[in-house]
Amino acid sequence: MDRDTATADVQTADAQAARKPAADVRRRLPRTDAVLADPRLAEAARRLGRALVKSEAVRALERARAGEIPPESVADAAAGALPPTAGGLRPVVNATGVLLHTNLGRAPLSRAAREAVDAACGPTDVELDLTTGARSRRGASALDALCGAVPHAEAAHVVGNGAAALVLAATALAAGKEIVVSRGEMVEIGDGFRLPDLLVSTGARLREVGTTNRTSAEDYAAAIGPGTGFVLKVHPSNFRITGFTRSASVAELARICPPGVPVVADIGSGLLRPEPVLPDEPDASGWLRAGASLVTASGDKLLGGPQCGLLLGRAGLVRRLARHPLARALRVDKLTLAALEATVRGPAAPVRTMLHADPGGLRARAERLAAELRGADVDARAADSEAAVGGGGAPGVTLPSAAVSLPEEYAGPLRLGEPAVLGRVEGGRCLIDLRTVPPERDADVAEAVRRAAKAAANGRGEE
Ligand SMILES: *Cc1c(COP(=O)(O)O)cnc(C)c1O
Protein backbone atom coordinates (compact mmCIF):
# COMPACT_ATOMS: atom_id res chain seq x y z
CA MET A 1 0.00 0.00 0.00
CA ASP A 2 1.52 3.33 -0.94
CA ARG A 3 1.56 6.31 1.32
CA ASP A 4 -1.36 8.21 -0.23
CA THR A 5 -3.69 5.22 0.05
CA ALA A 6 -2.72 4.77 3.71
CA THR A 7 -3.54 8.40 4.39
CA ALA A 8 -6.89 8.06 2.64
CA ASP A 9 -7.71 4.95 4.72
CA VAL A 10 -6.94 6.77 7.94
CA GLN A 11 -9.16 9.67 6.89
CA THR A 12 -12.06 7.33 6.16
CA ALA A 13 -11.64 5.72 9.57
CA ASP A 14 -11.59 9.20 11.17
CA ALA A 15 -14.81 10.15 9.44
CA GLN A 16 -16.54 6.97 10.63
CA ALA A 17 -15.30 7.49 14.19
CA ALA A 18 -16.66 11.02 14.15
CA ARG A 19 -20.14 9.70 13.30
CA LYS A 20 -20.26 7.06 15.98
CA PRO A 21 -17.48 6.16 18.40
CA ALA A 22 -16.43 2.57 18.11
CA ALA A 23 -17.55 0.42 21.03
CA ASP A 24 -13.88 -0.05 21.84
CA VAL A 25 -13.31 3.75 22.10
CA ARG A 26 -16.46 4.16 24.20
CA ARG A 27 -15.24 1.54 26.62
CA ARG A 28 -11.81 3.19 26.97
CA LEU A 29 -13.12 6.77 27.40
CA PRO A 30 -12.37 7.99 30.93
CA ARG A 31 -15.05 9.72 33.03
CA THR A 32 -14.74 13.52 33.38
CA ASP A 33 -13.98 13.19 37.12
CA ALA A 34 -11.18 10.78 36.37
CA VAL A 35 -9.66 13.22 33.85
CA LEU A 36 -9.90 16.09 36.37
CA ALA A 37 -8.12 13.94 38.96
CA ASP A 38 -4.97 14.02 36.80
CA PRO A 39 -2.37 15.78 39.02
CA ARG A 40 -1.57 18.42 36.33
CA LEU A 41 -5.23 19.29 35.90
CA ALA A 42 -5.89 19.28 39.64
CA GLU A 43 -3.01 21.74 40.09
CA ALA A 44 -4.25 23.87 37.17
CA ALA A 45 -7.75 23.96 38.70
CA ARG A 46 -6.28 25.54 41.86
CA ARG A 47 -4.43 28.13 39.76
CA LEU A 48 -6.89 28.84 36.94
CA GLY A 49 -10.24 27.83 38.43
CA ARG A 50 -12.16 24.58 38.01
CA ALA A 51 -14.55 25.84 35.33
CA LEU A 52 -11.77 26.61 32.85
CA VAL A 53 -10.02 23.27 33.42
CA LYS A 54 -13.28 21.35 33.18
CA SER A 55 -14.18 22.97 29.87
CA GLU A 56 -10.82 21.85 28.41
CA ALA A 57 -11.33 18.33 29.82
CA VAL A 58 -14.77 18.14 28.21
CA ARG A 59 -13.37 19.38 24.90
CA ALA A 60 -10.61 16.75 24.99
CA LEU A 61 -13.16 14.03 25.75
CA GLU A 62 -15.17 15.13 22.73
CA ARG A 63 -12.07 14.89 20.56
CA ALA A 64 -11.41 11.39 21.84
CA ARG A 65 -15.05 10.44 21.20
CA ALA A 66 -14.64 11.72 17.63
CA GLY A 67 -11.54 9.59 17.21
CA GLU A 68 -9.22 12.56 16.82
CA ILE A 69 -7.06 11.53 19.80
CA PRO A 70 -6.70 8.23 21.64
CA PRO A 71 -8.84 7.99 24.82
CA GLU A 72 -5.62 7.51 26.81
CA SER A 73 -4.37 11.04 25.93
CA VAL A 74 -7.43 13.00 27.06
CA ALA A 75 -5.67 14.38 30.16
CA ASP A 76 -2.55 15.21 28.08
CA ALA A 77 -4.63 17.07 25.52
CA ALA A 78 -6.54 19.01 28.18
CA ALA A 79 -3.33 19.92 30.02
CA GLY A 80 -1.71 21.04 26.76
CA ALA A 81 -4.65 23.27 25.83
CA LEU A 82 -4.77 25.16 29.13
CA PRO A 83 -3.79 28.84 28.97
CA PRO A 84 -0.80 30.00 31.06
CA THR A 85 -2.97 32.27 33.21
CA ALA A 86 -6.64 32.74 34.03
CA GLY A 87 -6.52 36.14 32.32
CA GLY A 88 -7.45 36.19 28.66
CA LEU A 89 -4.55 38.42 27.60
CA ARG A 90 -1.70 36.42 26.12
CA PRO A 91 1.93 37.46 26.25
CA VAL A 92 3.26 38.49 22.82
CA VAL A 93 6.83 38.95 21.64
CA ASN A 94 6.80 42.28 19.80
CA ALA A 95 9.00 41.70 16.73
CA THR A 96 7.31 44.42 14.65
CA GLY A 97 10.07 46.98 15.07
CA VAL A 98 7.48 49.44 16.41
CA LEU A 99 8.72 50.31 19.90
CA LEU A 100 5.39 51.57 21.22
CA HIS A 101 2.75 49.40 19.57
CA THR A 102 -0.63 50.63 20.77
CA ASN A 103 -2.36 47.35 19.85
CA LEU A 104 0.23 45.50 21.96
CA GLY A 105 -0.30 47.71 24.99
CA ARG A 106 2.45 50.25 24.24
CA ALA A 107 5.43 50.26 26.63
CA PRO A 108 6.62 46.93 28.05
CA LEU A 109 7.25 47.35 31.78
CA SER A 110 10.75 47.08 33.26
CA ARG A 111 11.59 44.29 35.65
CA ALA A 112 11.72 46.85 38.44
CA ALA A 113 8.18 47.95 37.56
CA ARG A 114 6.88 44.37 37.42
CA GLU A 115 8.39 43.64 40.83
CA ALA A 116 6.89 46.83 42.26
CA VAL A 117 3.46 45.79 40.92
CA ASP A 118 3.88 42.37 42.44
CA ALA A 119 4.78 43.87 45.80
CA ALA A 120 1.74 46.19 45.70
CA CYS A 121 -0.77 43.46 44.83
CA GLY A 122 -1.70 42.82 48.45
CA PRO A 123 -2.55 45.45 51.05
CA THR A 124 -0.07 48.31 50.67
CA ASP A 125 0.58 51.79 52.07
CA VAL A 126 -0.73 53.64 48.99
CA GLU A 127 -2.73 56.07 51.14
CA LEU A 128 -1.39 55.48 54.64
CA ASP A 129 1.65 56.82 56.52
CA LEU A 130 3.06 53.78 58.31
CA THR A 131 5.14 55.96 60.70
CA THR A 132 2.09 57.75 62.11
CA GLY A 133 -0.64 55.30 61.19
CA ALA A 134 -2.62 58.20 59.71
CA ARG A 135 -4.06 58.64 56.25
CA SER A 136 -1.59 60.15 53.77
CA ARG A 137 -1.59 61.71 50.31
CA ARG A 138 -2.44 58.94 47.83
CA GLY A 139 0.61 57.75 45.88
CA ALA A 140 2.82 60.35 47.57
CA SER A 141 6.09 58.58 46.86
CA ALA A 142 5.28 58.16 43.14
CA LEU A 143 4.41 61.86 42.91
CA ASP A 144 7.63 62.79 44.74
CA ALA A 145 9.59 60.60 42.31
CA LEU A 146 8.06 62.44 39.35
CA CYS A 147 8.85 65.87 40.80
CA GLY A 148 12.38 64.70 41.53
CA ALA A 149 12.82 63.55 37.95
CA VAL A 150 11.41 66.70 36.34
CA PRO A 151 13.29 69.89 37.19
CA HIS A 152 10.85 72.84 37.25
CA ALA A 153 7.88 70.64 38.26
CA GLU A 154 6.66 71.94 41.62
CA ALA A 155 3.92 69.31 41.86
CA ALA A 156 2.54 66.30 40.05
CA HIS A 157 -0.76 64.48 39.69
CA VAL A 158 -1.52 61.19 37.92
CA VAL A 159 -4.73 60.14 36.13
CA GLY A 160 -5.79 57.23 33.91
CA ASN A 161 -4.18 58.33 30.63
CA GLY A 162 -3.04 61.35 28.65
CA ALA A 163 -6.54 62.07 27.40
CA ALA A 164 -7.85 62.07 30.99
CA ALA A 165 -5.14 64.56 31.96
CA LEU A 166 -6.42 66.96 29.29
CA VAL A 167 -10.04 66.40 30.32
CA LEU A 168 -9.20 67.19 33.95
CA ALA A 169 -7.30 70.34 32.99
CA ALA A 170 -10.09 71.51 30.68
CA THR A 171 -12.83 70.79 33.23
CA ALA A 172 -11.06 72.35 36.20
CA LEU A 173 -9.62 75.38 34.40
CA ALA A 174 -11.89 76.14 31.47
CA ALA A 175 -15.44 74.79 31.91
CA GLY A 176 -17.75 77.55 30.59
CA LYS A 177 -14.69 79.41 29.35
CA GLU A 178 -12.48 79.36 26.26
CA ILE A 179 -9.44 77.28 25.44
CA VAL A 180 -7.28 79.13 22.91
CA VAL A 181 -5.69 76.65 20.51
CA SER A 182 -3.99 76.77 17.10
CA ARG A 183 -5.78 75.27 14.08
CA GLY A 184 -2.52 73.49 13.34
CA GLU A 185 -2.71 71.58 16.62
CA MET A 186 -6.27 70.21 16.52
CA VAL A 187 -5.14 66.60 16.31
CA GLU A 188 -6.74 63.20 16.15
CA ILE A 189 -4.88 60.86 18.52
CA GLY A 190 -5.95 57.53 17.07
CA ASP A 191 -8.91 55.18 16.75
CA GLY A 192 -11.09 58.12 15.75
CA PHE A 193 -10.57 60.14 18.96
CA ARG A 194 -9.98 63.83 18.39
CA LEU A 195 -8.59 66.22 20.98
CA PRO A 196 -10.96 69.08 20.03
CA ASP A 197 -14.00 66.82 20.61
CA LEU A 198 -12.54 65.64 23.90
CA LEU A 199 -11.97 69.21 25.11
CA VAL A 200 -15.43 70.42 24.06
CA SER A 201 -17.02 67.45 25.87
CA THR A 202 -15.94 69.06 29.16
CA GLY A 203 -18.08 72.16 28.63
CA ALA A 204 -15.16 74.33 27.55
CA ARG A 205 -15.35 76.27 24.27
CA LEU A 206 -12.54 76.14 21.75
CA ARG A 207 -11.23 79.44 20.45
CA GLU A 208 -9.38 78.41 17.29
CA VAL A 209 -6.61 80.71 16.12
CA GLY A 210 -4.30 80.86 13.09
CA THR A 211 -4.35 78.42 10.19
CA THR A 212 -3.38 74.80 9.64
CA ASN A 213 0.17 75.66 8.64
CA ARG A 214 0.80 79.05 10.24
CA THR A 215 -0.10 80.46 13.64
CA SER A 216 1.73 83.34 15.30
CA ALA A 217 1.93 84.55 18.89
CA GLU A 218 -0.11 87.61 17.75
CA ASP A 219 -2.96 85.29 16.72
CA TYR A 220 -3.13 83.95 20.27
CA ALA A 221 -2.73 87.41 21.81
CA ALA A 222 -5.70 88.74 19.83
CA ALA A 223 -7.92 85.92 21.11
CA ILE A 224 -7.03 86.08 24.82
CA GLY A 225 -9.54 87.94 26.95
CA PRO A 226 -11.65 87.79 30.12
CA GLY A 227 -13.32 84.58 28.90
CA THR A 228 -10.05 82.68 28.43
CA GLY A 229 -9.59 79.60 30.60
CA PHE A 230 -6.14 78.76 29.31
CA VAL A 231 -3.95 78.72 26.25
CA LEU A 232 -3.29 75.21 24.98
CA LYS A 233 -0.13 74.12 23.19
CA VAL A 234 -0.32 70.60 21.71
CA HIS A 235 2.72 68.78 20.39
CA PRO A 236 1.60 67.37 17.02
CA SER A 237 3.10 64.06 18.04
CA ASN A 238 1.84 61.81 15.23
CA PHE A 239 2.27 63.96 12.11
CA ARG A 240 4.51 66.61 10.68
CA ILE A 241 3.76 69.72 8.69
CA THR A 242 6.68 70.90 6.57
CA GLY A 243 7.12 73.75 4.13
CA PHE A 244 5.56 77.20 4.71
CA THR A 245 4.90 76.79 8.42
CA ARG A 246 5.00 78.79 11.60
CA SER A 247 3.98 78.13 15.17
CA ALA A 248 4.35 79.93 18.46
CA SER A 249 6.72 78.40 20.99
CA VAL A 250 5.76 77.77 24.60
CA ALA A 251 8.14 80.57 25.61
CA GLU A 252 6.35 83.05 23.31
CA LEU A 253 2.96 81.98 24.63
CA ALA A 254 4.11 82.34 28.23
CA ARG A 255 5.29 85.85 27.41
CA ILE A 256 1.97 87.02 25.94
CA CYS A 257 -0.33 85.42 28.53
CA PRO A 258 -1.52 87.87 31.20
CA PRO A 259 -1.40 86.76 34.86
CA GLY A 260 -4.17 84.29 35.56
CA VAL A 261 -4.11 82.76 32.07
CA PRO A 262 -1.99 79.61 32.25
CA VAL A 263 -0.25 77.93 29.32
CA VAL A 264 -1.18 74.25 29.35
CA ALA A 265 1.13 72.17 27.15
CA ASP A 266 0.40 68.63 25.99
CA ILE A 267 3.72 66.96 25.12
CA GLY A 268 2.13 63.56 24.44
CA SER A 269 5.15 61.31 24.57
CA GLY A 270 6.01 61.41 28.26
CA LEU A 271 9.68 62.37 27.97
CA LEU A 272 10.56 63.86 31.34
CA ARG A 273 13.88 65.24 30.12
CA PRO A 274 15.46 65.77 26.67
CA GLU A 275 16.20 62.61 24.68
CA PRO A 276 19.26 63.09 22.43
CA VAL A 277 18.13 60.38 19.98
CA LEU A 278 14.84 62.28 19.41
CA PRO A 279 15.82 65.95 19.30
CA ASP A 280 12.40 67.06 17.95
CA GLU A 281 10.41 65.54 20.82
CA PRO A 282 9.58 68.04 23.56
CA ASP A 283 10.13 67.05 27.19
CA ALA A 284 8.24 68.05 30.32
CA SER A 285 11.20 69.75 31.95
CA GLY A 286 11.98 71.84 28.84
CA TRP A 287 8.43 73.09 28.36
CA LEU A 288 8.02 73.93 32.06
CA ARG A 289 11.30 75.86 31.95
CA ALA A 290 10.04 77.65 28.84
CA GLY A 291 7.08 78.91 30.85
CA ALA A 292 4.28 76.34 30.64
CA SER A 293 2.23 76.35 33.86
CA LEU A 294 1.09 72.78 33.36
CA VAL A 295 2.37 69.94 31.18
CA THR A 296 0.30 66.84 30.34
CA ALA A 297 1.76 63.57 29.01
CA SER A 298 1.23 59.82 28.68
CA GLY A 299 3.10 57.48 31.01
CA ASP A 300 3.11 54.56 28.59
CA LYS A 301 4.82 56.27 25.67
CA LEU A 302 8.49 57.26 25.79
CA LEU A 303 8.59 57.30 29.59
CA GLY A 304 8.19 53.53 29.23
CA GLY A 305 5.82 53.03 32.13
CA PRO A 306 2.23 51.89 32.74
CA GLN A 307 -0.72 53.53 31.03
CA CYS A 308 -1.41 56.76 32.87
CA GLY A 309 -1.64 60.50 32.35
CA LEU A 310 0.85 62.85 33.98
CA LEU A 311 0.08 66.41 35.07
CA LEU A 312 3.19 68.35 36.07
CA GLY A 313 3.68 72.00 36.89
CA ARG A 314 2.85 74.86 39.26
CA ALA A 315 1.87 73.72 42.73
CA GLY A 316 -1.30 75.84 42.93
CA LEU A 317 -2.66 74.62 39.60
CA VAL A 318 -1.85 70.97 40.24
CA ARG A 319 -3.54 71.22 43.65
CA ARG A 320 -6.66 72.69 42.03
CA LEU A 321 -6.82 69.77 39.59
CA ALA A 322 -6.15 67.12 42.23
CA ARG A 323 -8.98 68.51 44.42
CA HIS A 324 -11.52 68.79 41.60
CA PRO A 325 -14.41 66.29 41.99
CA LEU A 326 -13.61 64.81 38.57
CA ALA A 327 -10.13 63.83 39.83
CA ARG A 328 -11.76 61.09 41.90
CA ALA A 329 -13.25 59.57 38.74
CA LEU A 330 -9.95 59.69 36.88
CA ARG A 331 -7.61 58.43 39.59
CA VAL A 332 -5.32 55.47 39.04
CA ASP A 333 -5.00 52.30 41.08
CA LYS A 334 -2.12 51.27 43.34
CA LEU A 335 -0.63 48.96 40.70
CA THR A 336 -0.25 51.85 38.26
CA LEU A 337 1.31 54.05 40.94
CA ALA A 338 3.73 51.26 41.87
CA ALA A 339 4.78 50.65 38.26
CA LEU A 340 5.08 54.36 37.54
CA GLU A 341 7.32 55.04 40.52
CA ALA A 342 9.59 52.10 39.73
CA THR A 343 9.81 53.25 36.10
CA VAL A 344 10.82 56.75 37.15
CA ARG A 345 13.26 55.71 39.92
CA GLY A 346 14.51 52.39 38.54
CA PRO A 347 16.93 51.41 35.78
CA ALA A 348 16.21 52.36 32.16
CA ALA A 349 12.81 51.15 30.95
CA PRO A 350 12.83 48.65 28.05
CA VAL A 351 11.66 51.36 25.63
CA ARG A 352 14.83 53.34 26.42
CA THR A 353 17.02 50.29 25.92
CA MET A 354 15.34 49.64 22.55
CA LEU A 355 15.72 53.28 21.54
CA HIS A 356 19.45 53.17 22.24
CA ALA A 357 20.25 49.66 20.95
CA ASP A 358 23.36 49.63 18.76
CA PRO A 359 22.58 48.64 15.11
CA GLY A 360 25.81 46.58 14.95
CA GLY A 361 24.73 44.54 17.94
CA LEU A 362 21.27 44.00 16.43
CA ARG A 363 22.86 42.83 13.16
CA ALA A 364 25.07 40.36 15.06
CA ARG A 365 22.00 38.91 16.82
CA ALA A 366 20.16 38.61 13.49
CA GLU A 367 23.14 36.81 11.87
CA ARG A 368 23.42 34.42 14.81
CA LEU A 369 19.70 33.60 14.88
CA ALA A 370 19.49 33.19 11.09
CA ALA A 371 22.50 30.84 11.05
CA GLU A 372 21.02 28.76 13.88
CA LEU A 373 17.69 28.52 12.06
CA ARG A 374 19.32 27.60 8.73
CA GLY A 375 20.99 24.78 10.68
CA ALA A 376 17.45 23.55 11.43
CA ASP A 377 16.55 23.76 7.70
CA VAL A 378 14.59 26.99 8.05
CA ASP A 379 14.74 29.52 5.20
CA ALA A 380 16.12 32.37 7.36
CA ARG A 381 18.52 35.22 6.62
CA ALA A 382 19.65 38.37 8.36
CA ALA A 383 18.34 41.58 6.80
CA ASP A 384 18.58 45.31 7.38
CA SER A 385 15.41 46.82 8.78
CA GLU A 386 13.96 50.13 9.90
CA ALA A 387 12.28 50.39 13.28
CA ALA A 388 10.00 53.23 14.42
CA VAL A 389 8.97 54.75 17.74
CA GLY A 390 5.21 54.31 17.09
CA GLY A 391 2.42 54.92 19.57
CA GLY A 392 1.76 58.19 17.77
CA GLY A 393 5.24 59.48 18.57
CA ALA A 394 8.24 60.82 16.67
CA PRO A 395 6.74 60.63 13.16
CA GLY A 396 9.29 60.45 10.41
CA VAL A 397 12.01 59.13 12.73
CA THR A 398 13.39 55.75 11.67
CA LEU A 399 15.82 53.76 13.75
CA PRO A 400 18.29 51.56 11.85
CA SER A 401 17.63 47.96 12.84
CA ALA A 402 18.21 44.35 11.85
CA ALA A 403 15.76 41.51 11.35
CA VAL A 404 15.58 37.81 10.71
CA SER A 405 13.82 37.49 7.35
CA LEU A 406 11.50 34.46 7.04
CA PRO A 407 8.98 33.19 4.50
CA GLU A 408 5.77 35.25 4.69
CA GLU A 409 3.68 32.13 5.40
CA TYR A 410 5.32 31.84 8.85
CA ALA A 411 3.56 35.00 10.05
CA GLY A 412 0.28 33.22 10.90
CA PRO A 413 1.74 30.25 12.81
CA LEU A 414 4.11 32.62 14.66
CA ARG A 415 1.16 34.76 15.75
CA LEU A 416 -0.73 31.70 16.97
CA GLY A 417 2.24 30.11 18.75
CA GLU A 418 3.14 30.02 22.43
CA PRO A 419 4.52 32.57 23.00
CA ALA A 420 2.82 34.49 20.21
CA VAL A 421 5.43 36.26 18.07
CA LEU A 422 4.28 39.25 16.04
CA GLY A 423 6.57 40.11 13.14
CA ARG A 424 6.16 42.56 10.26
CA VAL A 425 5.21 41.39 6.77
CA GLU A 426 7.12 43.41 4.20
CA GLY A 427 8.12 42.72 0.60
CA GLY A 428 6.73 39.17 0.69
CA ARG A 429 8.78 38.21 3.77
CA CYS A 430 8.02 38.00 7.49
CA LEU A 431 10.56 40.16 9.33
CA ILE A 432 11.43 39.51 12.96
CA ASP A 433 12.76 42.96 13.88
CA LEU A 434 15.19 42.59 16.77
CA ARG A 435 15.16 46.20 17.99
CA THR A 436 11.91 45.50 19.83
CA VAL A 437 12.84 41.97 21.00
CA PRO A 438 14.76 41.83 24.30
CA PRO A 439 17.99 39.82 23.70
CA GLU A 440 17.01 37.36 26.45
CA ARG A 441 14.03 36.31 24.30
CA ASP A 442 16.17 35.28 21.28
CA ALA A 443 16.14 31.59 22.23
CA ASP A 444 12.32 31.66 22.64
CA VAL A 445 11.98 33.34 19.26
CA ALA A 446 14.21 30.73 17.57
CA GLU A 447 12.13 27.94 19.10
CA ALA A 448 8.89 29.64 18.01
CA VAL A 449 10.23 29.98 14.44
CA ARG A 450 11.16 26.28 14.31
CA ARG A 451 7.63 25.37 15.41
CA ALA A 452 6.11 27.82 12.91
CA ALA A 453 8.24 26.31 10.13
CA LYS A 454 6.88 22.89 11.05
CA ALA A 455 3.29 24.19 11.16
CA ALA A 456 3.74 25.91 7.79
CA ALA A 457 5.13 22.69 6.29
CA ASN A 458 2.18 20.71 7.69
CA GLY A 459 -0.17 23.30 6.21
CA ARG A 460 1.42 22.63 2.81
CA GLY A 461 0.91 18.90 3.33
CA GLU A 462 4.62 18.14 3.77
CA GLU A 463 5.70 15.72 6.43
C1 LIG B 1 -0.95 60.06 22.89
C2 LIG B 1 -1.34 61.49 23.01
C3 LIG B 1 -2.46 61.86 23.76
C4 LIG B 1 -3.36 60.84 24.44
O1 LIG B 1 -2.70 60.15 25.44
P1 LIG B 1 -3.28 58.72 25.93
O2 LIG B 1 -2.37 58.35 27.06
O3 LIG B 1 -3.20 57.81 24.76
O4 LIG B 1 -4.67 58.96 26.37
C5 LIG B 1 -2.77 63.19 23.86
N1 LIG B 1 -2.01 64.13 23.23
C6 LIG B 1 -0.92 63.81 22.51
C7 LIG B 1 -0.14 64.90 21.88
C8 LIG B 1 -0.55 62.48 22.36
O5 LIG B 1 0.51 62.16 21.64
Side-chain angles (χ1 to χ4, degrees):
M1 189 162 45
D2 70 26
R3 205 170 163 158
D4 283 344
T5 324
T7 311
D9 281 348
V10 169
Q11 278 165 359
T12 315
D14 277 354
Q16 278 166 355
R19 277 193 296 277
K20 187 174 186 305
D24 165 51
V25 167
R26 271 205 312 272
R27 235 185 354 261
R28 282 155 53 215
L29 268 183
R31 292 163 44 96
T32 311
D33 285 353
V35 179
L36 291 174
D38 177 278
R40 287 165 301 174
L41 297 187
E43 192 277 324
R46 280 189 291 276
R47 216 162 29 85
L48 305 173
R50 192 176 148 85
L52 190 64
V53 177
K54 189 170 173 187
S55 74
E56 285 306 339
V58 167
R59 209 191 314 270
L61 277 165
E62 274 162 14
R63 292 182 60 202
R65 198 170 290 123
E68 290 172 28
I69 55 171
E72 290 74 24
S73 19
V74 166
D76 287 346
L82 283 170
T85 68
L89 295 180
R90 294 180 51 198
V92 176
V93 176
N94 174 11
T96 60
V98 178
L99 272 57
L100 296 166
H101 199 299
T102 298
N103 304 148
L104 295 180
R106 290 195 186 150
L109 293 186
S110 66
R111 210 173 123 190
R114 290 170 197 234
E115 285 171 2
V117 168
D118 202 38
C121 279
T124 184
D125 59 342
V126 64
E127 219 174 288
L128 187 92
D129 184 340
L130 288 172
T131 49
T132 62
R135 181 179 192 149
S136 69
R137 197 162 52 113
R138 186 179 172 82
S141 63
L143 301 177
D144 290 346
L146 275 173
C147 290
V150 182
H152 313 288
E154 295 168 6
H157 183 65
V158 182
V159 291
N161 56 29
L166 278 170
V167 163
L168 183 56
T171 308
L173 309 178
K177 295 178 126 186
E178 287 184 347
I179 299 173
V180 181
V181 61
S182 163
R183 291 194 171 88
E185 297 175 5
M186 314 259 291
V187 306
E188 176 170 320
I189 51 179
D191 199 23
F193 287 102
R194 297 171 166 177
L195 287 192
D197 298 345
L198 192 77
L199 294 168
V200 166
S201 76
T202 66
R205 290 187 307 277
L206 289 192
R207 179 71 179 267
E208 302 171 23
V209 298
T211 61
T212 309
N213 56 330
R214 288 175 68 85
T215 305
S216 66
E218 293 74 46
D219 292 324
Y220 288 91
I224 295 171
T228 305
F230 59 82
V231 169
L232 177 64
K233 173 82 185 166
V234 180
H235 172 53
S237 55
N238 54 9
F239 70 99
R240 253 194 197 162
I241 295 183
T242 56
F244 186 51
T245 64
R246 177 172 178 185
S247 63
S249 69
V250 168
E252 284 177 278
L253 295 180
R255 221 171 296 130
I256 60 159
C257 279
V261 174
V263 175
V264 176
D266 178 20
I267 61 169
S269 84
L271 283 183
L272 301 185
R273 295 154 176 272
E275 169 52 70
V277 180
L278 303 169
D280 294 336
E281 280 295 311
D283 65 283
S285 177
W287 273 12
L288 288 172
R289 192 184 56 238
S293 302
L294 193 68
V295 162
T296 65
S298 297
D300 57 353
K301 292 186 181 170
L302 289 168
L303 175 58
Q307 175 184 301
C308 60
L310 311 179
L311 290 142
L312 300 151
R314 299 253 180 81
L317 274 184
V318 173
R319 201 174 313 120
R320 235 170 104 190
L321 301 186
R323 298 229 172 116
H324 190 279
L326 186 62
R328 181 63 174 75
L330 302 177
R331 82 175 190 186
V332 292
D333 74 333
K334 59 181 179 170
L335 303 184
T336 301
L337 289 166
L340 175 63
E341 180 173 359
T343 302
V344 173
R345 290 195 202 273
V351 166
R352 287 308 181 78
T353 313
M354 292 171 189
L355 200 56
H356 292 271
D358 159 52
L362 297 173
R363 181 77 198 191
R365 282 170 61 201
E367 302 275 5
R368 203 159 48 234
L369 270 173
E372 181 192 331
L373 288 166
R374 278 195 302 275
D377 274 338
V378 176
D379 165 17
R381 52 179 189 260
D384 288 331
S385 174
E386 277 185 350
V389 171
V397 173
T398 54
L399 305 161
S401 188
V404 179
S405 164
L406 302 166
E408 183 178 345
E409 59 174 341
Y410 289 13
L414 278 170
R415 220 170 43 235
L416 295 171
E418 187 69 55
V421 176
L422 193 71
R424 187 171 83 237
V425 172
E426 200 174 278
R429 301 282 290 178
C430 173
L431 300 183
I432 302 298
D433 194 309
L434 295 180
R435 191 177 275 273
T436 51
V437 178
E440 66 270 17
R441 300 304 303 273
D442 281 4
D444 294 337
V445 168
E447 179 56 31
V449 171
R450 279 192 294 268
R451 276 199 299 268
K454 227 173 270 165
N458 287 341
R460 284 193 306 264
E462 290 169 19
E463 293 286 77

